[in-house]
Amino acid sequence: METQLIIGPLVGAIIGLITNGIAIKMIFRPLYAKYLWGWKLPFTPGLIPKEKGRIAKSIGNAISINLMNKETLEKTLLSQEMLGKLENAIDNFIENLSHNEQTLQEYLYHLLSKREIDLIINNTKEDIISILQKELSNPQLGNQVSNIVIKHAISKVQEGLLGVFGVDKFINLIALPAEQLLAKNSHELIHELLDKGTDRLLSMQMCEIIKEHPEQIITLKTCIISTYQKTISEQLPRILNSINISKVVEERINEMDVQEVEQLLFQIMDKELKAIIWLGGLLGFIMGFVMIFINK
């Protein structure tokens, strides 16, 4: 009787461990169908290899609908934590630039090739010049610019000592031809100023740009965060539809080898699967005791 109390539960535990271990193994193995005399053996291939396509589609749909949907992603991407990380990233970026002694042109050359940077600069110049040319097509604009310049010169002369000697009257005499000259050449002057301004900006050190334009940097930072929030709010549905997360997940799982899927699942559920095996041993151990009392 004492031997039965030991052997019965022990045998039940071993059977439980083995059967549960085999059952879990059969989820993945065999990898391919097995045949005996032309007849396909039952339970071959394993459940995962056999239903891989259906499982991949189900997982893709589950992730797309429940985990990676618009509401979940928007809540995460627009959370205060995420916005705080974005703001910190911008601050760190600006802080690094404030110590960077490279010129703007040198800095841009690290991001893109010289050819691409030069192309962008030239195209930007041409766009600005094109806009200015449209404005300068107004015949009154040149006269307006020259009038402002002449009046400013006269006021400065009148305020100084030269006004006492009547130099302002001499300026009035040359004002008309000067106005005509400026009106005629205003396009060339603005073109030259634009080139000089661009060259000066490109030759400035990054640290100088950050130091000399603090208000613009703050405005740019606010604009970046605002653009990020607007893009997530307005464009996220279109982005998700374009990506089609469900299809991406399905295709990725189907591309994986069955053994890779097995390893992935074991990495995720290793403890749980082992717990099932040991639970089978425990149930077998209990059933061994129960059978002893039933057979009494």
Side-chain angles (χ1 to χ4, degrees):
M1 181 66 180
E2 293 180 358
T3 305
Q4 290 181 341
L5 288 175
I6 297 174
I7 294 177
L10 184 60
V11 171
I14 293 173
I15 293 173
L17 287 170
I18 293 174
T19 53
N20 276 25
I22 293 174
I24 290 175
K25 203 68 176 177
M26 288 179 65
I27 295 176
F28 304 95
R29 303 299 175 92
L31 300 178
Y32 307 101
K34 302 294 182 180
Y35 294 89
L36 182 63
W37 298 309
W39 292 88
K40 187 171 80 71
L41 295 177
F43 307 110
T44 64
L47 180 62
I48 297 295
K50 182 179 180 180
E51 301 291 339
K52 183 182 174 184
R54 183 185 61 81
I55 293 172
K57 187 172 184 177
S58 298
I59 293 175
N61 289 335
I63 292 176
S64 176
I65 295 172
N66 301 308
L67 300 179
M68 300 288 287
N69 54 43
K70 174 184 176 296
E71 291 74 20
T72 302
L73 289 176
E74 187 173 326
K75 182 179 179 181
T76 301
L77 295 174
L78 294 179
S79 66
Q80 290 301 316
E81 180 182 1
M82 183 62 70
L83 293 177
K85 289 181 179 179
L86 176 60
E87 186 172 358
N88 289 335
I90 296 173
D91 289 337
N92 292 334
F93 179 72
I94 294 173
E95 177 64 21
N96 291 333
L97 288 182
S98 66
H99 301 289
N100 192 329
E101 295 183 353
Q102 289 179 312
T103 65
L104 175 60
Q105 192 169 34
E106 290 172 342
Y107 181 78
L108 292 175
Y109 284 160
H110 284 289
L111 302 178
L112 297 171
S113 67
K114 184 179 184 303
R115 179 178 174 277
E116 291 171 324
I117 294 299
D118 291 341
L119 184 62
I120 292 173
I121 292 172
N122 291 332
N123 287 341
T124 304
K125 282 184 179 180
E126 291 301 324
D127 290 341
I128 296 175
I129 291 172
S130 176
I131 294 173
L132 291 175
Q133 282 178 336
K134 290 181 181 178
E135 295 296 330
L136 289 170
S137 62
N138 180 1
Q140 299 300 320
L141 182 60
N143 293 328
Q144 292 171 2
V145 173
S146 58
N147 282 330
I148 293 172
V149 174
I150 297 300
K151 287 178 182 178
H152 180 73
I154 292 174
S155 66
K156 288 298 181 182
V157 169
Q158 289 175 339
E159 292 172 3
L161 293 175
L162 294 176
V164 178
F165 299 100
V167 177
D168 56 328
K169 296 179 181 179
F170 172 73
I171 293 179
N172 278 321
L173 291 175
I174 65 171
L176 182 58
E179 288 176 356
Q180 294 174 349
L181 180 64
L182 285 172
K184 182 179 179 181
N185 296 283
S186 57
H187 178 293
E188 289 74 12
L189 290 172
I190 293 176
H191 193 294
E192 183 178 351
L193 288 173
L194 179 62
D195 284 338
K196 288 182 178 179
T198 303
D199 293 338
R200 178 181 177 277
L201 179 63
L202 290 173
S203 63
M204 287 182 66
Q205 291 180 321
M206 296 301 299
C207 54
E208 291 179 356
I209 296 175
I210 298 297
K211 183 179 179 180
E212 292 183 10
H213 302 87
E215 295 182 359
Q216 288 85 345
I217 295 299
I218 294 174
T219 301
L220 179 61
K221 174 183 171 181
T222 304
C223 181
I224 291 173
I225 295 176
S226 176
T227 301
Y228 169 79
Q229 291 175 303
K230 185 176 181 180
T231 300
I232 295 299
S233 299
E234 297 181 359
Q235 302 298 326
L236 186 58
R238 185 179 63 83
I239 294 172
L240 290 177
N241 289 333
S242 300
I243 296 175
N244 195 346
I245 294 175
S246 175
K247 187 173 182 61
V248 170
V249 174
E250 179 183 351
E251 290 179 350
R252 179 66 188 100
I253 293 176
N254 283 326
E255 289 172 358
M256 295 175 68
D257 185 80
V258 178
Q259 290 178 313
E260 290 181 311
V261 177
E262 180 182 5
Q263 292 175 357
L264 177 63
L265 292 178
F266 270 112
Q267 288 175 0
I268 298 172
M269 303 179 60
D270 184 54
K271 291 183 178 180
E272 290 75 11
L273 293 175
K274 287 180 178 178
I276 292 174
I277 295 174
W278 286 107
L279 181 61
L282 177 61
L283 291 175
F285 187 82
I286 294 172
M287 289 303 298
F289 268 117
V290 171
M291 292 304 297
I292 292 174
F293 291 104
I294 289 177
N295 293 330
K296 262 189 164 186

